[in-house]
Amino acid sequence: MAYIWMNSVIFLTAFWSCLAVWAADEQTVVDFEQEKTASMISVQANSTLRYELQNSGNGKILSMTVSPGVANYPGIIIKPQQAWDLSRFGYLSMKVTNTGKAPVSVALRADSGSQWSGNQAYLAPGKTVILQTHFGYKFGKLSNKCDQSKINQILVFIGKPKEELSFQIENIIAGGTPEDKPADNTVKPELPVNGVMVSAESTAALKVNGADGSALSFGDNAYTVTLPANPEYMKNGLTILPVKKNWDIRKYGAISFEISNIGSSEGTVICSAGTVNSSDRYLSIKETIKAGERKSILLPFTLAPGWNANLKTASHFDSTMMPQIGIYAAPENKEPLKIALHKVTAVAAPPAVLPDWLGKRPPVPGNWHQTLNENFDGDSLNKSLWTPRLHWDGPPNNEIQRYLEENITVKDGCMVIKSERNPGHQYNNPKLPTRDYATGAVTSIEKWSQRYGYFEARMKQPKALGLWPAFWTMPIREASFGNIWQRNTTKLGGMEFDIFEHLTRFGPYRYNIACHWDGYEKEHKFIGDDKIYFAPDKEGFVTAGMLWGPGKLEWFCNGNKVGEWQNERIANVPAYILFTIQMGSWSGYEVDDKALPDYFLIDYVRVWQLQEWEALPYNPEPLSNLRKSQ
């Protein structure tokens, strides 16, 4: 009986212990009190980070200090001997405190093979927060499902610092249930109905401030304001804010201000959009308006300045988050200016005015000759130049499309890449992974490549939410160099060039330009700008180009320079061309199925070479250098 009683006690103790664990619904994953934890921690490559386990009133904590350096995301990696099984939990959490003198954004990421989930928190000096990372979410947005049963590492990191930053973290805890979702505490931007941001009917839905002594009234279906003479630049005027924190006008490419001069003298007004106390976050246009005149003043988003990596100039104007608009008196006004504001409307961008040289030659003079002139004539793809698939099977784990060769067609003088909801295997091969969506990929690998020159394509991008059409290049070396992956590496002088990379969630008037090099893992580096605003031409196409020379890159849109970077590291390895539509990953996982199928049209691809560049010797770095770096 004693034996039975003792076993019953042991069973009940174990049962209630397990029940307590499940009831608490928490598990300490990284415990800084345990000696073995120290051996699990390592510093990410190139990180100028120092860490120390310290005693505190609540037990041991991990204190970190990061100095400016070359790493884009300095931090630590925590690796268990065996992967953590966190399948019954919904998130990881940790307490973070900013112990430094400057603000810091700290990220917590959980990896399961190539899949990961992550989140970040902004902390002012002295502030403490509980940072949670929900499995299957990346920075609050739904992502591919991360396998909680096989978490092989946890990363804690920050962005590249400009000054020394310090913070500390406490134990990392798993909690919640797999059904948990991150709280959505964001204030949704205001979507103006039919683009109308200000009108007589919207008086109750706006916060209108007459700034710095400007007299403001409302009557006769308009806002009336008297702007003083000789004002400070962008200081005296009418500032209009949405009820919510921002307007979302990404569907539009310009703002129209309908204004009357109801005074007795001519004057000049400045119409603006964005945060005027930050020079790179607003756009403005100046126009003179005569006494008694009523006019519409158009502020196109293409006024956003181009990106120059060396001068560190770029536009941070964001049409998805428009905090304010305004009308100000110009400093040259000698008399007060009385105006009436009737209406402000977000509108479509007017068609781009194209220079005569576009499509006929490069944007700069020189001894040029054309090396590629693909106009997609006929009714089938020229397979002596193009391959309608990637050179590897794929698709990537964090993307939700498969590629099909039949989704590449030629029609009406264009190459057409179709995106559709069409579940199945990659390339219809039952041995390859399945995806719910199908798109296409076209490359010139092994058929055409070039080092240096001017690359240009005329395209019409799709509009369905969730798509990521792109015109880009990748490096390729001769067959004797090594296997295809070695020949294709972005290390050893190679580089990925993104000439036109459009996310449909940006809206129809914005795209990204970029370079990526030194692989896509720990040593990965990139540079670029995702706020290149454009207007399509009268047929709805955009023409994007890249001028690539030794140590210098320039990007063009509709004949206008929109980006520039000079650096010795710029690729000196030949590159081939790709046109793709990706889904998932950076483009997000929200897809508008009702807008599918949708199409990416490429009207032409043209490339020129400069005689002087063509004559330069080509001495590629040897493959042995790649092996030394691994």
Side-chain angles (χ1 to χ4, degrees), residues 35 93 113 120 122 151 180 206 272 276 299 312 329 340 371 414 421 424 441 457 486 499 502 510 518 528:
E35 291 185 7
S93 69
Q120 64 181 352
Y122 172 86
I151 301 299
D180 285 351
L206 291 167
S272 72
V276 297
L299 177 62
K312 300 188 184 325
T371 56
C414 289
R421 184 171 180 85
Q486 293 165 338
I499 305 172
H502 173 71
R510 174 183 154 195
D518 287 352

Side-chain angles (χ1 to χ4, degrees), residues 302-534:
T302 51
L303 290 178
W307 169 66
N308 187 308
N310 301 93
L311 299 179
K312 300 188 184 325
T313 57
S315 171
H316 293 95
F317 172 82
D318 191 343
S319 61
T320 69
M321 301 175 65
M322 181 66 57
Q324 67 183 54
I325 53 179
I327 302 172
Y328 302 90
E332 59 265 30
N333 288 354
K334 304 302 181 184
E335 301 290 337
L337 179 63
K338 189 174 184 179
I339 63 169
L341 174 63
H342 305 281
K343 197 172 187 179
V344 181
T345 310
V347 297
V353 178
L354 306 179
D356 291 339
W357 63 262
L358 196 65
K360 301 173 185 177
R361 62 169 177 82
V364 295
N367 298 317
W368 295 98
H369 65 275
Q370 194 165 20
T371 56
L372 179 62
N373 186 22
E374 171 61 276
N375 297 299
F376 300 107
D377 297 324
D379 56 8
S380 63
L381 192 67
N382 177 5
K383 292 190 177 180
S384 67
L385 178 60
W386 305 106
T387 299
R389 61 184 295 151
L390 300 178
H391 70 270
W392 57 285
D393 287 334
N397 291 329
N398 60 346
E399 295 179 9
I400 58 176
Q401 86 288 341
R402 62 185 179 126
Y403 292 124
L404 293 178
E405 292 191 24
E406 53 264 40
N407 280 32
I408 308 295
T409 57
V410 174
K411 184 179 180 181
D412 298 329
C414 289
M415 178 170 67
V416 181
I417 305 179
K418 180 169 72 170
S419 298
E420 59 182 338
R421 184 171 180 85
N422 181 357
H425 293 272
Q426 172 85 326
Y427 297 122
N428 287 327
N429 183 342
K431 295 181 181 179
L432 297 179
T434 59
R435 295 288 188 269
D436 289 335
Y437 298 91
T439 68
V442 177
T443 89
S444 69
I445 190 170
E446 308 284 25
K447 297 177 179 179
W448 186 95
S449 62
Q450 182 171 302
R451 183 179 67 137
Y452 305 141
Y454 179 65
F455 296 65
E456 183 179 279
R458 184 172 184 257
M459 302 158 286
K460 180 183 286 188
Q461 77 271 24
K463 294 181 172 58
L465 182 64
L467 304 183
W468 178 1
F471 165 36
W472 50 303
T473 73
M474 283 290 290
I476 188 67
R477 298 158 181 87
E478 58 188 14
S480 60
F481 186 83
N483 64 40
I484 189 61
W485 296 107
Q486 293 165 338
R487 296 170 60 203
N488 209 201
T489 182
T490 60
K491 299 181 180 182
L492 304 181
M495 190 171 277
E496 172 191 329
F497 295 138
D498 296 322
I499 305 172
F500 177 89
E501 198 171 24
H502 173 71
L503 274 61
T504 52
R505 64 178 173 85
F506 285 166
Y509 300 105
R510 174 183 154 195
Y511 69 95
N512 177 70
I513 56 177
C515 300
H516 299 260
W517 68 98
D518 287 352
Y520 296 92
E521 297 180 352
K522 292 180 181 179
E523 296 178 355
H524 170 239
K525 302 174 185 68
F526 70 94
I527 194 169
D529 188 359
D530 69 352
K531 293 180 177 61
I532 305 298
Y533 288 92
F534 72 98

Side-chain angles (χ1 to χ4, degrees), residues 562-578:
V562 295
E564 181 176 352
W565 181 39
Q566 296 186 50
N567 192 285
E568 291 182 355
R569 177 55 183 86
I570 288 171
N572 59 5
V573 174
Y576 66 94
I577 295 171
L578 301 94

Side-chain angles (χ1 to χ4, degrees), residues 40-67:
M40 296 161 54
I41 301 172
S42 63
V43 177
Q44 293 201 72
N46 300 318
S47 292
T48 51
L49 179 147
R50 308 181 302 278
Y51 70 89
E52 182 182 5
L53 286 167
Q54 299 176 341
N55 292 314
S56 72
N58 297 322
K60 285 189 175 181
I61 59 171
L62 187 68
S63 177
M64 287 176 267
T65 300
V66 188
S67 302

Side-chain angles (χ1 to χ4, degrees), residues 113-242:
S114 61
Q115 300 292 337
W116 59 273
S117 301
N119 202 7
Q120 64 181 352
Y122 172 86
L123 294 88
K127 187 176 181 181
T128 298
V129 300
I130 302 296
L131 173 57
Q132 288 188 339
T133 287
H134 283 74
F135 298 119
Y137 288 82
K138 293 179 179 178
F139 304 102
K141 295 184 178 180
L142 183 65
S143 178
N144 271 12
K145 189 66 174 174
C146 181
D147 188 353
Q148 296 108 282
S149 68
K150 297 177 182 177
I151 301 299
N152 62 297
Q153 64 180 22
I154 294 172
L155 288 76
V156 179
F157 58 92
I158 64 172
K160 190 173 184 177
K162 296 181 179 179
E163 57 188 310
E164 186 172 273
L165 302 174
S166 299
F167 61 98
Q168 65 184 33
I169 63 173
E170 298 186 16
N171 292 347
I172 299 177
I173 309 294
T177 68
E179 291 73 33
D180 285 351
K181 299 179 180 179
D184 186 0
N185 298 318
T186 59
V187 177
K188 300 297 183 184
E190 187 174 323
L191 297 170
V193 178
N194 297 322
V196 177
M197 303 168 74
V198 181
S199 70
E201 292 76 23
S202 64
T203 54
L206 291 167
K207 301 172 184 176
V208 183
N209 303 314
D212 297 335
S214 304
L216 173 68
S217 62
F218 181 80
D220 295 328
N221 293 325
Y223 294 98
T224 301
V225 61
T226 300
L227 307 175
N230 302 306
E232 289 186 59
Y233 182 73
M234 302 288 281
K235 289 292 185 182
N236 298 86
L238 179 62
T239 303
I240 304 173
L241 313 174

